[in-house]
Amino acid sequence: MSKQSSILRKQYAFLLAKSTEMRKQSGILRKQYAFLLAESTEMRKQSGILRKQYAFLLAESTEMRKQSGILRKQYAFLLAKSTEIRKQSGILLIEIDLISICGFDLFELQL
């Protein structure tokens, strides 16, 4: 029985050491779990903030595209007006040249 008792004591010591190691590992895992849970909570919070920022930037981008379209139309309109005014200015210069070639004095015509 003493041999069997010795074996049982060794098994008990082994199991006690294993149990102590497992409790230590369990404590480490609980701490890691708590840390990961806090990280996950923070990431969800950050994700919510990023979703709101994305929605805001998307709305801003849409508004800027709309404004860009309006500005392009205004630019095209002003370019057309500018071209028309340059043509009219050219015509006026030609008319003034013709009048001066013909020898008319513009000041005399006004009287």
Side-chain angles (χ1 to χ4, degrees):
M1 231 203 293
S2 118
K3 187 176 183 183
Q4 194 176 17
S5 177
S6 174
I7 291 172
L8 287 175
R9 274 195 301 275
K10 287 179 183 177
Q11 285 177 343
Y12 176 76
F14 174 77
L15 291 175
L16 186 60
K18 273 292 193 188
S19 173
T20 303
E21 180 63 27
M22 288 176 71
R23 277 196 303 275
K24 194 188 301 183
Q25 289 295 324
S26 177
I28 292 169
L29 289 174
R30 276 193 302 274
K31 290 176 184 175
Q32 288 176 339
Y33 176 76
F35 173 76
L36 291 173
L37 185 59
E39 283 290 308
S40 172
T41 301
E42 182 61 26
M43 287 176 71
R44 279 196 302 274
K45 190 190 313 180
Q46 291 295 324
S47 178
I49 291 169
L50 289 173
R51 277 193 303 274
K52 289 175 184 174
Q53 287 176 340
Y54 175 76
F56 174 77
L57 290 173
L58 185 60
E60 283 290 308
S61 172
T62 302
E63 182 60 29
M64 287 176 71
R65 280 196 304 273
K66 190 191 313 180
Q67 291 295 324
S68 177
I70 291 168
L71 289 173
R72 276 194 302 273
K73 289 175 185 173
Q74 288 176 343
Y75 175 75
F77 173 78
L78 291 174
L79 186 61
K81 278 291 183 187
S82 171
T83 302
E84 185 180 324
I85 289 171
R86 278 198 308 274
K87 284 180 188 175
Q88 288 175 353
S89 174
I91 291 168
L92 285 174
L93 288 174
I94 291 170
E95 287 175 354
I96 290 171
D97 284 345
L98 285 175
I99 291 171
S100 66
I101 289 172
C102 293
F104 292 110
D105 187 354
L106 292 177
F107 293 110
E108 287 178 9
L109 291 175
Q110 288 179 348
L111 297 175

